[in-house]
Amino acid sequence: MAEPLLDLRGLQTHFQTFGGLVKAVDGVSFNVKAGEIVGLVGESGGGKSVIGFSILGLVDPPGRIAGGEIRFDGRDISKLGEREMRNVRGRDIAMVFQDPMTSLNPVYTIGRQMDEVLRLHTNLDEAARRTRCIRMLEDVGISGAESRLDAYPHQFSGGMRQRVVIAIALLAGSRLIIADEPTTALDVTVQSQILKLMRRQVQETGAAMILITHDLAVVSEMADRVVVLYCGKVVERGLTEEVIRSPAHPYTRGLLDSIPRITDRQRRLRQIPGTVPDIRTLGAGCSFRGRCAHAQPLCAERSPELVPVRGSLDAACHFPLQEAL
Amino acid sequence: MLGYTIKRLLQMVLVLFVVSIIVFLMMSFTGDPVFMVIPIDSTQAEIEQARRLLGLDQSLFSQYWIFLSNLLQGDFGRSYVFRQPAMDLILERLPATMEMVLVAMAFATLIAIPLGVYAGANPNRTASRGIMAASLFGISLPGFWVGMMLIYFFSVRHPFLPSSGRGETIEILGLRLSIFTADGWSHILLPAVTLALATLAIILRITRAGMMEVMRQDYIRFARAKGASRTHILFAHGLKNALIPVVTIFGLQLGDLIAFATITETIFAWPGTGKLLIDSIYRGDRPVIVVYLMLTAFIFVVINFLVDIVYTVIDPRITVK
Ligand SMILES: Nc1ncnc2c1ncn2[C@@H]1O[C@H](COP(=O)(O)OP(=O)(O)OP(=O)(O)O)[C@@H](O)[C@H]1O
Ligand code: SF4
Ligand SMILES: [Mg+2]
């Protein structure tokens, strides 16, 4: 089988803070193949965004990549110098940031900020770049695209800014797109429209996508495979279908149970009890044990390894869940 | 835009009107100018006559009225000492001051902004800490002392730069300018550096503070994610967002230097308006002082207006109303 486009091997990204060392990403491994969408899910603080920034080499002090490999197209890009990395950013790998309100520079027009990517990474002339920008804006559902090019970010609503940010990420035809909560600012109808567009883009260009979200409903609709993160570690990964139907890790089960369903409108939403622990003070053992209904004494002694459980599922749990019937 | 400009012009007129009252009152309470214009051995009758001639026998209000209507007719009075229109005296010297101030501001800005950008973008580097420490000196050292030290080192110990006067000037569009001659440059260097130092330090610190704030923003990281170069990110994405306070300070400092270059001009015997002001104060040459103050107020108001326009150019979120 061909080598995956992106292959994370034991990625470690740490932040040195006054309160201690924060292992925001602690030995994360997963891969993404060309033409594939991988969903990255987990509660807030799980390290999803930091993984995205690590791939692009955008982790700033006090953070640093402390270990592991980020293999993109066969070479470890985490070891590249700043100059070489600039050719990867925006060209090979593009990212949609989580917060659309702050991702755009307030003092430049939308058109100029879109054009910047094409100027940096293509040889198109000005007219061709402009045409491409207009088409991309239309694709993400912004009407009157041509006149919008001269508008400034503050003249756009949050949802429109989000679409502009997505348009910028799709513009240069990158081979990997990291989309960090790309649709959180959008209402539901627009959300599915944008998601469809992004999926079409991946299918047409053979690009790959990492879709970061805490919304398992979105993931089940979009992703081929899912990686579930908890406290900087992968707790479960596998084909979307299997993960959704019958997860092996209690945490994934908890996430699934907290999705509101139309059928059980009457029942109260089941939340995962407790809160995410402070990752600076985790110590030995499974980091989910404080909230886990299945925890045993062993769970406090040894942290579980990520191992194959059944089918496509790998899980990091001493007592993985049985397959649901 | 036109409406805004008209509004600002009216505002300007109002400010100048208030300033004229203040200047007039200030002048009325500082000694009797009649003694400046009459010979020492004048008789009482002669003094009275001079008073009448100068309008000093009238009420304060009608004196102000005369003063104002003269101003409005473009008559700013004549210097008691030079017996020439006070405005001409000042305009004649204004190019010298402007020249020195503009060179100083250009020098300060061209050095301060790159250093401030560097220090703000890399706050933890040793070089940045060095720059910040040095800027403290720039702010706290008194200008007259710096001027004298420069004269000592560059004119006395190693005499390769002149320490006084403007040097060779040439006339361009009716203005006598020295920045187009090599000799002029050698003369302008020391006073301009003296004048620039404090401004350089202030602009540097403001730039750094703004950059530190801006570089934390998401849009900077997003620009990096696009693959933009470091320089482009610092200057196009970063600096432009940090520029509003810099422009504010630039405007204030510019006005300040034009109005109060007095000390530097005195040290370097620079024949500008500041030196004229000092001389006029010594001689009690009231009309010159009045025109000087009015002109200074005018310059400040104009700079203020320009700064507001520049704001709107830099930041599209700021609009003129
Ligand atoms: N600059 C930083 N300094 C210190 N800690 C940081 C920094 N950036 C991120 N972290 C830590 O890294 C951990 C993971 O953060 P991250 O933003 O990746 O979470 P996330 O999964 O994206 O959450 P969310 O769903 O809220 O976006 C958090 O515990 C956070 O405190
Ligand atoms: S290892 Fe133990 S505590 Fe952790 S998820 Fe599995 S059962 Fe729960
Ligand atoms: Mg995040």
Side-chain angles (χ1 to χ4, degrees), chain B residues 36-91:
Chain B
M36 302 306 307
V37 290
I38 52 165
I40 290 178
D41 54 356
S42 306
T43 64
Q44 192 60 33
E46 283 169 332
I47 294 177
E48 287 309 319
Q49 200 206 349
R51 276 230 157 77
R52 260 197 312 283
L53 226 64
L54 291 169
L56 292 169
D57 56 337
Q58 304 186 31
S59 77
L60 211 57
F61 183 78
S62 51
Q63 280 189 45
Y64 176 70
W65 183 245
I66 295 168
F67 168 72
L68 188 66
S69 49
N70 284 345
L71 283 188
L72 291 178
Q73 288 160 30
D75 176 3
F76 297 89
R78 283 170 170 271
S79 160
Y80 297 155
V81 178
F82 297 95
R83 315 264 162 199
Q84 296 182 31
M87 191 53 121
D88 293 359
L89 268 179
I90 289 180
L91 289 183

Side-chain angles (χ1 to χ4, degrees), chain B residues 197-234:
Chain B
L197 233 45
T199 305
L200 194 164
I202 294 170
I203 293 184
L204 192 161
R205 296 183 78 90
I206 297 279
T207 308
R208 169 187 178 261
M211 284 300 286
M212 282 181 70
E213 177 62 32
V214 167
M215 292 307 283
R216 277 199 288 271
Q217 303 297 317
D218 261 3
Y219 54 78
I220 294 294
R221 194 183 255 185
F222 191 58
R224 287 167 66 198
K226 288 177 182 172
S229 75
R230 179 92 179 143
T231 330
H232 184 73
I233 284 168
L234 288 182

Side-chain angles (χ1 to χ4, degrees), chain B residues 207-279:
Chain B
T207 308
R208 169 187 178 261
M211 284 300 286
M212 282 181 70
E213 177 62 32
V214 167
M215 292 307 283
R216 277 199 288 271
Q217 303 297 317
D218 261 3
Y219 54 78
I220 294 294
R221 194 183 255 185
F222 191 58
R224 287 167 66 198
K226 288 177 182 172
S229 75
R230 179 92 179 143
T231 330
H232 184 73
I233 284 168
L234 288 182
F235 288 91
H237 285 281
L239 181 61
K240 198 170 178 204
N241 277 284
L243 220 45
I244 293 289
V246 176
V247 170
T248 311
I249 294 294
F250 181 93
L252 287 175
Q253 287 296 116
L254 179 63
D256 204 53
L257 293 196
I258 294 173
F260 307 111
T262 328
I263 295 174
T264 309
E265 288 189 357
T266 307
I267 294 173
F268 290 95
W270 190 262
T273 49
K275 196 154 174 314
L276 177 67
L277 176 68
I278 289 287
D279 294 345

Side-chain angles (χ1 to χ4, degrees), chain B residues 121-137:
Chain B
N122 313 286
N124 295 321
R125 292 215 189 134
T126 318
S128 305
R129 294 182 204 278
I131 290 170
M132 293 314 286
S135 76
L136 274 184
F137 281 101

Side-chain angles (χ1 to χ4, degrees), chain A residues 53 58 60 86 89-90 95 97 102-108 113 116-117 121 152 154, chain B residues 218-219 221-230 232 236-237 240-241 314-317:
Chain A
F53 293 137
L58 292 178
D60 292 320
R86 276 214 305 271
R89 292 184 195 132
M95 183 160 171
F97 282 21
T102 56
S103 294
L104 295 170
N105 193 327
V107 301
Y108 291 112
Q113 297 187 58
E116 189 179 3
V117 181
H121 301 299
Y152 287 93
H154 71 275
Chain B
D218 261 3
Y219 54 78
R221 194 183 255 185
F222 191 58
R224 287 167 66 198
K226 288 177 182 172
S229 75
R230 179 92 179 143
H232 184 73
H237 285 281
K240 198 170 178 204
N241 277 284
I314 293 173
D315 193 332
R317 288 166 299 181

Side-chain angles (χ1 to χ4, degrees), chain A residues 20-89:
Chain A
L21 188 68
V22 176
K23 296 183 178 178
V25 179
D26 191 9
V28 165
S29 302
F30 67 89
N31 61 43
V32 187
K33 297 180 190 77
E36 187 183 43
I37 299 178
V38 170
L40 207 54
V41 297
E43 282 167 297
S44 191
K48 306 183 293 291
S49 299
V50 173
I51 290 177
F53 293 137
S54 301
I55 294 170
L56 278 175
L58 292 178
V59 178
D60 292 320
R64 68 186 188 94
I65 294 181
E69 283 180 28
I70 303 171
R71 301 189 71 78
F72 181 79
D73 209 12
R75 62 174 179 165
D76 183 4
I77 56 171
S78 69
K79 310 287 191 294
L80 290 184
E82 182 66 21
R83 190 172 274 279
E84 289 167 294
M85 203 56 206
R86 276 214 305 271
N87 284 323
V88 174
R89 292 184 195 132

